Amino acid sequence: MRGRSKANSSTATKVSSDVQARATFIGRSVVLVAPRLDPAHQAMVSLSTAILCIESAEVIRVQFDMFPAVEQYPRECLFPTNFILPSGARASLFESNCTGVVDTHFRWMQENSIDGILVQRFYGQFNDQSFLQLLQQIRTAAEKYGRAFAVEYDLSGVSSANFGSVVSELLDDYTHHIAPLVSSPSYLHHQGRPVIELWGFGINKSQLNAADCASIFRAIRSANPNPYVVLGVQWDWAYDRTNHPDYFNVYTQGDVIQPWSVGAYSDVASYEQKYRDNFVPDKALADRLGLGYAPSILAGSSSRNRDKGTTFGNRYNGTFYEAQLKHQLDMKPFFVFGSMFDEFPESKSSGRVRIEGLQTGLVADMRYEPGTQVIATLTASEVPRAPNPGFFGIDNGMDHNYYLQLAGRYAVRYHQLF
């Protein structure tokens, strides 16, 4: 049946919450929220991938290029839109913070040998009660399906110009909201320490300076419980050894370096060049520095509707994603970070709507990057026809979860390396 992930005989095995040898994770981002009338939902509409007038014929704004396939989500997690499918039926979207959606995502991870997720937590939203509820939903689902999860602090909203109480707010959140989660048998640990990612060091140097990056790192590193720290940095982080040694010094203090490669390449040829000229020597450098190396990969990216562009991204029939997956087997990195599990705004998804994670081989990531999702996505012949601001689908004939299944096949091979 279309959209149904094929179970793998090895996937029933519980993933250890310790990274141990290596892992595979995908990122998760909370994106879709039904624009209801109550204030709690209205406050979150700005985070949504689509802002829709449900009761009128008007579609106000669309920020995603690929349309999710929703047939496996519980009915209570869906809400109708005014997009019309080729069948004449109204298309539905799903709410990312619905318990049934979270449960379905973790079931897919188990069925496809994805070890777990890194959950993106944005600075500035620490008091969002719906997100704290989501963390509990994630914990429950991870424990149910034997998957791992860890928290990734996204610092893209932090500025040195208004640094003020950033460190104290991070520490307070870690102590009161995240630390209670690490007792879960599914919370990711390595060497007996809970894993935390700090994402955004060196990504925008004009916004967050190296001294403030160092302050954040030192505070989290010394927190209780003492975390095992992954640092999310720009893809060309190694150049900072010469160009920005103050940033590079911060990178070397972490436990794992996780370069963000979205935007670094866009097709197989440009990826092959980056792999040869940058990623292989960067992995060797990380080894010499005693750092774990955790590359990020993506199925594709497209932001035509969000950015009002004229062209879509291209997934090259899956060959782009597979080329990246194959090369990870050669590098044997600490873990592989898949961008993204459910990020429809940039259409990076490998499947349905957003999740982030670590694999002891392959991990999913939930981050706001348009069109990168790997989870269930409609094919080209199935996307809404009216109104159609500009949607594109995966190849006709592909299973809705083709890219998630592809990641899973390589995750199994990756596990065998260790």
Side-chain angles (χ1 to χ4, degrees):
M1 181 173 66
R2 178 171 296 284
R4 179 72 177 178
S5 301
K6 299 176 178 61
N8 183 294
S9 60
S10 67
T11 58
T13 303
K14 183 182 185 299
V15 172
S16 170
S17 63
D18 196 282
V19 178
Q20 294 180 344
R22 301 292 182 275
T24 319
F25 288 80
I26 294 179
R28 188 179 201 281
S29 303
V30 184
V31 179
L32 295 179
V33 180
R36 313 293 192 198
L37 296 179
D38 61 284
H41 279 90
Q42 285 298 317
M44 293 186 67
V45 167
S46 62
L47 298 178
S48 181
T49 55
I51 300 176
L52 309 168
C53 277
I54 300 302
E55 300 303 328
S56 71
E58 183 183 6
V59 175
I60 302 175
R61 187 181 181 197
V62 176
Q63 295 188 12
F64 60 102
D65 290 0
M66 304 182 78
F67 212 94
V70 300
E71 68 273 5
Q72 290 194 54
Y73 294 119
R75 185 177 300 275
E76 65 269 18
C77 295
L78 304 179
F79 61 94
T81 74
N82 290 307
F83 293 116
I84 307 301
L85 297 169
S87 66
R90 293 175 72 185
S92 293
L93 293 174
F94 63 91
E95 293 194 65
S96 296
N97 58 353
C98 182
T99 297
V101 167
V102 177
D103 186 90
T104 300
H105 285 167
F106 275 87
R107 173 171 61 81
W108 286 339
M109 281 184 253
Q110 184 194 60
E111 291 173 347
N112 291 281
S113 300
I114 303 300
D115 297 314
I117 66 167
L118 289 174
V119 186
Q120 187 179 21
R121 184 142 173 76
F122 289 94
Y123 173 77
Q125 299 175 10
F126 293 163
N127 294 320
D128 183 344
Q129 294 302 307
S130 64
F131 190 88
L132 297 177
Q133 178 184 351
L134 178 70
L135 286 173
Q136 295 301 323
Q137 294 170 324
I138 287 172
R139 175 178 183 165
T140 298
E143 292 175 359
K144 175 180 178 180
Y145 291 104
R147 303 297 94 183
F149 74 101
V151 169
E152 170 201 332
Y153 281 113
D154 188 315
L155 305 174
S156 56
V158 176
S159 171
S160 292
N162 300 288
F163 198 66
S165 60
V166 168
V167 170
S168 61
E169 290 177 52
L170 281 167
L171 282 176
D172 183 73
D173 183 71
Y174 180 74
T175 301
H176 293 100
H177 296 146
I178 308 307
L181 296 173
V182 307
S183 62
S184 168
S186 286
Y187 195 91
L188 191 68
H189 286 67
H190 190 65
Q191 298 178 349
R193 294 153 60 195
V195 173
I196 285 288
E197 176 163 355
L198 300 174
W199 189 91
F201 284 9
I203 300 289
N204 186 345
K205 295 180 175 65
S206 64
Q207 178 174 309
L208 184 62
N209 65 45
D212 289 338
C213 289
S215 296
I216 292 171
F217 173 80
R218 287 194 300 269
I220 293 296
R221 163 66 90 204
S222 61
N224 183 28
N226 180 239
Y228 192 86
V229 181
V230 179
L231 294 181
V233 300
Q234 80 279 10
W235 70 268
D236 56 353
W237 64 280
Y239 289 123
D240 285 346
R241 188 178 193 181
T242 301
N243 299 337
H244 300 279
D246 49 349
Y247 283 95
F248 189 82
N249 181 57
V250 179
Y251 307 157
T252 62
Q253 296 176 46
D255 297 298
V256 179
I257 199 85
Q258 190 254 299
W260 183 242
S261 60
V262 175
Y265 50 84
S266 58
D267 55 26
V268 174
S270 58
Y271 169 72
E272 296 283 359
Q273 180 179 358
K274 283 289 189 299
Y275 176 80
R276 180 183 66 250
D277 297 344
N278 296 94
F279 303 152
V280 171
D282 289 356
K283 167 64 163 58
L285 173 60
D287 289 346
R288 293 195 299 273
L289 294 169
L291 297 173
Y293 184 77
S296 61
I297 60 175
L298 69 156
S301 182
S302 182
S303 57
R304 177 183 182 271
N305 287 327
R306 189 195 69 173
D307 298 336
K308 296 180 171 47
T310 57
T311 59
F312 293 112
N314 193 329
R315 294 196 172 194
Y316 301 96
N317 314 105
T319 58
F320 177 58
Y321 198 36
E322 188 161 19
Q324 298 167 73
L325 288 163
K326 283 181 177 178
H327 277 309
Q328 305 316 313
L329 297 175
D330 299 327
M331 278 206 296
K332 294 180 68 173
F334 188 73
F335 68 80
V336 181
F337 185 87
S339 170
M340 304 282 294
F341 188 81
D342 62 350
E343 191 168 70
F344 282 87
E346 287 181 6
S347 301
K348 290 201 280 285
S349 171
S350 322
R352 305 315 203 233
V353 177
R354 297 206 227 209
I355 293 184
E356 227 175 275
L358 287 182
Q359 290 175 206
T360 37
L362 189 54
V363 179
D365 172 44
M366 297 178 86
R367 180 190 312 287
Y368 185 74
E369 299 294 340
T372 60
Q373 71 278 3
V374 295
I375 53 171
T377 307
L378 295 181
T379 65
S381 63
E382 296 171 329
V383 299
R385 294 291 185 260
N388 186 347
F391 293 123
F392 78 100
I394 59 175
D395 293 2
N396 290 329
M398 279 185 174
D399 188 280
H400 289 160
N401 262 338
Y402 172 81
Y403 285 93
L404 189 61
Q405 294 163 6
L406 180 61
R409 290 197 293 272
Y410 277 90
V412 171
R413 294 172 60 184
Y414 184 87
H415 295 155
Q416 294 169 350
L417 291 177
F418 301 95

